[in-house]
Amino acid sequence: MSDQNRLGVFKTYKLYVGGKFPRSESGRVYEVTDSKGAWLANAPQSSRKDARDAVVAARKAFGGWSGATAYNRGQVLYRVAEMLEGRKDQFVREVAASEGLSKSKAAAVVDTAIDRWVWYAGWTDKIGQISGGANPVAGPFFNLSTPEPTGVVAVLAPQKSSLLGLVSVIAPVIATGNTAVVIASADAPLPALSLGEVLATSDVPGGVVNILSGVTAELAAPLAAHQDVNAIDLTGADTALAKELEIAAADNLKRVLRPQPVDADGASDSAAWSASPGTHRLTAFLETKTVWHPTGALGAAGSSY
C-alpha cells in the first residue's frame, strides 16, 4: 500500500501514574496546539482524583526508592539519559512544535536535557559530602549529620520550557531519594507525557515519578493542601497562584521552593534553563539527620578516639 493511501496513526497521550498509563478518571481531554495555533494532539485533563491517586503512588514508592543506595539511583538516572538519547528524534519534533523552535535549536535543547540527566546521575552519591559531615563538638562524642530525602514532592513544571525545564525540576528531586508528582506545562504537556514513556523503560520504579497534565491551578491546589505531600516546588506557578499555594502548604509545614528568577515571565524558556544548574535544587528537598555517638575512653589518661 502506498503512503498516499495510508491513514496515519495518531499518538494517544496518557498520564503516567504508578508506573502505568491511565487516562484521566474524568474522561476529559483538551486540545494542545503549537506556537502558531495548529492542533497537535489531545492531552488528558487530569482531575483532583488523579492528583490524589498520584500522591498514593508516590508514597507507596517512597520507601523503596529512598532506601536504595545513592549509587543505584545514579545508575537509574543514567539509564533515563540512555533511553532519552535513543528517542531523541521524537523529542526534537515535540519540543520544536511545543516551543516554536527550529529543528536545530530544538535538538540543542534535547541534548542539554539528556546531559542534565547525566549531571544529576553523577551527583546522587556525592551530595551527602557537601550537605553532611562530621561536626566538631566539645566532648567524647562523634557528631555526624547526614542528608535524607524529604518525602513526596509536588512539582509544578515550568510553563514555557517543556522538556529542559521539566527535567531540571524532576531530576534533582528523585536523585536525592524523593518521589514526585509532577504537573506538566499546561500549554505544552506533550514532551512531559512522552517522558513518562521513557521513565517506564528506564528502571525507574513505578510511582517514583508521576506526571499529570491539565489546568495547573486546578491540580496544584489539592496537592498543596494534601497532608501526605511533604514539599512543593512552585516553579510553574505565577505570582498570585504561588502565594495561594504557599499559604495552603503551611497547613502541614511543607517545604516550599519558591519560583526562581529563571521562572519569571519572559525568562522561563529553554535558553534560560541551559545554564549550569548548580546544587541548590538537590539540597532544596533534603532533611538533615544528626546522630551523636560516644567515642569511649582509652587508657588511664582518659584519651579518646
Side-chain angles (χ1 to χ4, degrees), residues 7-28:
L7 293 176
V9 178
F10 288 102
K11 181 178 176 65
T12 301
Y13 288 89
K14 297 181 181 179
L15 308 176
Y16 182 55
V17 177
K20 299 179 180 180
F21 297 93
R23 292 178 170 86
S24 172
E25 63 84 26
S26 67
R28 297 179 301 173

Side-chain angles (χ1 to χ4, degrees), residues 12 38 92 104 112 120 146 159 180 187 232-233 252 260 296 305:
T12 301
V92 168
S104 60
T112 305
Y120 283 115
T146 57
Q159 295 298 328
D187 294 331
I232 186 167
D233 181 346
N252 73 332
Q260 306 298 306
Y305 62 90

Side-chain angles (χ1 to χ4, degrees), residues 5-53:
N5 297 322
R6 182 178 180 275
L7 293 176
V9 178
F10 288 102
K11 181 178 176 65
T12 301
Y13 288 89
K14 297 181 181 179
L15 308 176
Y16 182 55
V17 177
K20 299 179 180 180
F21 297 93
R23 292 178 170 86
S24 172
E25 63 84 26
S26 67
R28 297 179 301 173
V29 297
Y30 69 101
E31 291 189 355
V32 178
T33 59
D34 64 16
S35 58
K36 298 180 180 179
W39 181 86
L40 292 175
N42 289 336
Q45 185 171 335
S46 304
S47 67
R48 290 171 176 251
K49 174 66 163 54
D50 293 317
R52 292 195 297 269
D53 290 345

Side-chain angles (χ1 to χ4, degrees), residues 160 261-273:
K160 296 181 181 179
V262 71
D263 312 320
D265 289 341
S268 55
D269 57 13
S270 293
W273 284 97

Side-chain angles (χ1 to χ4, degrees), residues 54-77:
V55 173
V56 171
R59 177 57 62 192
K60 184 177 180 180
F62 177 69
W65 183 244
S66 61
T69 65
Y71 178 72
N72 178 247
R73 289 198 296 269
Q75 289 179 308
V76 172
L77 264 67

Side-chain angles (χ1 to χ4, degrees), residues 189-204:
L190 303 188
L193 298 177
S194 291
L195 182 64
E197 298 171 4
V198 171
L199 297 173
T201 55
S202 303
D203 301 328
V204 179

